[in-house]
Structures are given as structure tokens and as C-alpha cells.
Amino acid sequence: MQDILFNFISKYISLTEDEKNALLSLNIFHSVKRGTTLLKEGQYSNESFFVLKGCIRTYYMIDGEEKTTAFYTEMDAFTPSCVISKTPSDYFISCVEDSILTISNAEMEAEVNSKFPKFELMCRKLSEELLAKQRIDFDEFKTSSPEERYLNLLQKRPDLIQRVPQHQLASYLGIKPQSLSRLRSRILEKKN
Amino acid sequence: MQDILFNFISKYISLTEDEKNALLSLNIFHSVKRGTTLLKEGQYSNESFFVLKGCIRTYYMIDGEEKTTAFYTEMDAFTPSCVISKTPSDYFISCVEDSILTISNAEMEAEVNSKFPKFELMCRKLSEELLAKQRIDFDEFKTSSPEERYLNLLQKRPDLIQRVPQHQLASYLGIKPQSLSRLRSRILEKKN
DNA sequence: GGTATTTCTTAACTTAAGTGAACGGGTTAT
DNA sequence: ATAACCCGTTCACTTAAGTTAAGAAATACC
């Protein structure tokens, strides 16, 4: 399980055994049960996540309805906005499946960054990369219809459609569950 | 004009006069005429932008139509996705107004970062912050209707609605120009 | 200054998403 | 075992966005 993390890190920097051990000594590996809430709206937090196994999601509570806006699965790193802005969180974070995560906090990062400056470099590269990827995702979302978004998701993250409840997928696609259901049957009809 | 840049930087790190001069010696300030294309679809680039004055936009060419997805105005920093991914650009970048920009490239950044390691820190902080902001923007987009998006924009970037052509605004809001026009008159009716 | 082009608006019609309600299947809890 | 709840689907109806087309207004160009 630890190798998954080190594999991920190796995409950005190379680590010595000492550095690996320093990371492991922080005890950042955690098992989290399905349904667990990791962060609530209104809370302050300085915790970042990395998904080794499983799936977590962010959702807003708007007019009494959950609006799921993001899913993080294997090999996804995620720092909530509220950690960066140091304001109360606008959204909830919750476990979609039983998951294994690394959960680190700002102090740990500060410690590691000061001990091993190359972590700073990794963080920069990673967030630049995520920023660019998210920009592309956002642009695709803007320039396509709900149906195109669904078909696009089917190509890019087919696993999500299997492992995640439909009503969560719907708001992820920016529509209502009924519309997703209808849209799916419309696509099936077209195939025949 | 240079002070705008230094003001921006001072939000993240503090600079000595030497460091400021090192930056100025790179000759990164440029005047760009309205309508100038800064980057074309399919091109490789390693240039980043910072807007001192004016407005630039990114747009995709889809089925012969321009789809504008982002605007960058005063105090906005912007590194195109293709610079990060080292792939050909998916979109165009163009000047909406006569503008004054800083245009820097990867070599300059590498040089500055090695001379002054604290620039590395600034880059990390900045991209983390932009990532978090963009996440919130994306979430707002997903969870609201075109009309809500327009009203939201009216609150957050009222200047954009004045300085940018409607048809560019429309695709920025994820709709067609005709729909934006109709939506606006619908809002006016409601007020009366 | 006048023409050409682009931009914005309006309208009629089509298509798809939102809404409210109902139903069945499945799970959970008591 | 039964009731309560959650979830996905379907339906009928409403509302809003897409499409196509036309014309007016603003802007650019020569």
C-alpha cells in the first residue's frame, strides 16, 4: 500500500530511503469506512488527502439537497479549498466506499518541506499539473451538453459510473437524477 | 506599471531590490494590441502571462465556432495548460483589449527559481491558491443554472459584462448568445 | 463618409432539462 | 417479518435552452 504512495511521488521527485522512512514515521495511512464524513461544511481544516484505495467525494448542501461536485479515486491527491483559503469549508467531504487514504496536515507538510526542500518542488509541480487538468475539465464541461458530458465520462472514467450512485453522478454532471435516467435511456434507444 | 507586478508578488514573498532588478532585467513587459493572438490551437509554448492592464481570453474552435472559456484581467496570472503538459495547445489565447502583460518563459523561470529559491515557494502558493479558487468556480458553475451564473457574474465581475462582447460572455456562461440575450431580457422583466 | 462586417436582439419552433408525483426493487432498521 | 426508507426509473407537464432565420444597431474598413 505504501508503494502506491511512493510510486506517485516518484512521478515528480526521487526519494532516498531516509526520506521514505521520514514520511512513514508520520503515520499518515488511514482506513476509512464507507459513509464517513471527513469534513463538514463550516469547519476549518488543514488536512490534505491522497487516495490509495476507494473513493471520496465533495458535496454541497443546497436547499436541503446534496450536490456532489467531485470524486477522488485511486492515485488522486486532494487539498480542500478551505485549507488553502483558511476559511470555513463550503462543502462536505465523505467516503463513497471503504477507503484507504493518507491524511496529512499543514504542520507535517511544513516539517517535511523544511527537512527536504524537494518536496516543495513536488508540491509546485503537482498543483500546477492539477490546475491545468482542472482547467481542461472545466472547459470541457462548459462547452458540452449534459449528454456529451455523460458520454465523455463514460470514456474517461468508466469505473465511476459503476461504483457511484446515480444521483451523485447526476449532480456531478450538472443535472437532476431524473434527467440522467432519461438521458441514459435516450442513448440506449439511439444505439438500436 | 512595474509596481503592479511587485505588489502582486508581495502577497506571497518579499523581494529585495536586487531581486526586483533581476526580474526587471528579464524584459518581460509587453504591450499587446486588441485582437492579437498570443497562442494558437496546436502550438507548443512555454510562456506564462500576467495581466497588468487589459484583458485576454482563451477560446476553443469547435465546429467552426469560438467557445470562450476564460477571461484574465488586471492582476490575473495565467500559465496555459499546454505549458504544463508539454502538449500542443487545445485552445487559442487572444487579446480582448489593448493590454500590458508580462510574458515569461520556462527558461526565465528556471533561472529565477535557481537564483532565488523563494520564487519556488511563491509559485507553489500561487498555484495552490488558483487551484482552490478554480475548484470553487467550477462547483458554482455545476450547481447553478445559466441565469444564476449570469447573476453571480454580475456580482463577482461586473466589469466583465461591460468590457467583453456578449457572444464571448455567453460561451463563458455555457450557453448560446441568443440565450444570454433572452435571459437578460427575462431578468429585466422580473424587475418590473 | 459610406459600405461591409460583426454584434446584438427578437421571434417562432424544436428539443431537452426541471418539476412533481408515482411505482417497484432493494436495503436497513426495528 | 414488517415497516420505513432510499434509490432508480418512468410519466405528464412546465420551463428554459438550442436552432434557424431575420432585422437592427454598432463597429470596422476603405
Side-chain angles (χ1 to χ4, degrees), chain A residues 93-115:
Chain A
I93 303 176
S94 157
C95 252
V96 177
E97 305 169 348
D98 290 353
S99 303
I100 302 174
L101 312 173
T102 75
I103 306 180
S104 59
N105 60 44
E107 293 91 63
M108 292 175 183
E109 274 168 40
E111 189 191 327
V112 172
N113 278 340
S114 70
K115 263 194 206 158

Side-chain angles (χ1 to χ4, degrees), chain B residues 80-98:
Chain B
S81 317
C82 66
V83 176
I84 306 298
S85 63
K86 299 184 167 76
T87 58
S89 179
D90 293 325
Y91 48 75
F92 295 79
I93 304 177
S94 156
C95 251
V96 177
E97 303 170 347
D98 290 352

Side-chain angles (χ1 to χ4, degrees), chain A residues 41 57-71 90-94 141 164-179, chain B residues 135-136 138-145 148-149:
Chain A
E41 182 192 342
R57 68 178 173 120
T58 60
Y59 67 94
Y60 293 73
M61 193 57 82
I62 299 174
D63 298 332
E65 288 204 338
E66 286 186 10
K67 304 272 190 180
T68 299
T69 54
F71 295 102
D90 294 324
Y91 48 76
F92 295 79
I93 303 176
S94 157
F141 192 95
V164 153
Q166 297 295 308
H167 66 281
Q168 290 176 13
L169 264 188
S171 50
Y172 181 70
L173 294 170
I175 57 177
K176 303 281 163 182
Q178 298 94 317
S179 299
Chain B
R135 171 86 268 153
I136 299 285
F138 196 175
D139 291 351
E140 277 177 356
F141 193 96
K142 270 187 185 172
T143 56
S144 53
S145 67
E148 288 167 339
R149 280 174 221 152

Side-chain angles (χ1 to χ4, degrees), chain B residues 34 146 176 178-179 182 186:
Chain B
R34 189 166 85 98
K176 303 281 163 182
Q178 298 93 317
S179 298
R182 174 170 42 199
R186 196 167 60 221

Side-chain angles (χ1 to χ4, degrees), chain A:
Chain A
M1 199 47 70
Q2 301 162 355
D3 287 340
I4 299 180
L5 177 63
F6 293 137
N7 260 332
F8 178 79
I9 293 176
S10 73
K11 290 194 293 181
Y12 303 95
I13 53 175
S14 53
L15 293 184
T16 64
E17 284 305 312
D18 271 5
E19 289 161 346
K20 287 184 182 180
N21 287 329
L23 274 190
L24 293 178
S25 73
L26 292 171
N27 256 356
I28 54 180
F29 293 83
H30 297 269
S31 244
V32 192
K33 282 271 166 230
R34 188 166 84 99
T36 307
T37 297
L38 296 165
L39 178 69
K40 288 183 184 163
E41 182 192 342
Q43 284 185 337
Y44 289 84
S45 167
N46 55 17
E47 286 181 340
S48 292
F49 306 97
F50 177 76
V51 181
L52 296 149
K53 188 168 179 346
C55 178
I56 63 179
R57 68 178 173 120
T58 60
Y59 67 94
Y60 293 73
M61 193 57 82
I62 299 174
D63 298 332
E65 288 204 338
E66 286 186 10
K67 304 272 190 180
T68 299
T69 54
F71 295 102
Y72 299 91
T73 55
E74 286 77 12
M75 299 280 276
D76 281 339
F78 171 51
T79 299
S81 317
C82 65
V83 176
I84 306 298
S85 63
K86 299 186 166 73
T87 58
S89 179
D90 294 324
Y91 48 76
F92 295 79
I93 303 176
S94 157
C95 252
V96 177
E97 305 169 348
D98 290 353
S99 303
I100 302 174
L101 312 173
T102 75
I103 306 180
S104 59
N105 60 44
E107 293 91 63
M108 292 175 183
E109 274 168 40
E111 189 191 327
V112 172
N113 278 340
S114 70
K115 263 194 206 158
F116 311 111
K118 63 180 153 184
F119 271 95
E120 182 79 33
L121 174 65
M122 178 181 77
C123 289
R124 198 208 70 191
K125 281 188 179 177
L126 178 59
S127 46
E128 281 181 350
E129 184 186 306
L130 292 176
L131 180 63
K133 271 191 194 154
Q134 188 179 254
R135 170 87 270 154
I136 299 286
D137 283 349
F138 196 175
D139 291 350
E140 279 178 354
F141 192 95
K142 269 187 185 171
T143 56
S144 53
S145 66
E147 185 170 327
E148 289 167 338
R149 280 175 221 150
Y150 176 77
L151 292 170
N152 191 29
L153 190 67
L154 211 51
Q155 294 291 322
K156 294 202 174 167
R157 299 180 75 178
D159 59 305
L160 263 195
I161 291 166
Q162 301 306 320
R163 67 204 285 195
V164 153
Q166 297 295 308
H167 66 281
Q168 290 176 13
L169 264 188
S171 50
Y172 181 70
L173 294 170
I175 57 177
K176 303 281 163 182
Q178 298 94 317
S179 299
L180 176 55
S181 193
R182 175 170 40 198
L183 177 161
R184 284 161 60 105
S185 58
R186 196 167 59 222
I187 291 172
L188 280 178
E189 272 177 21
K190 282 184 194 167
K191 280 190 180 169
N192 306 338

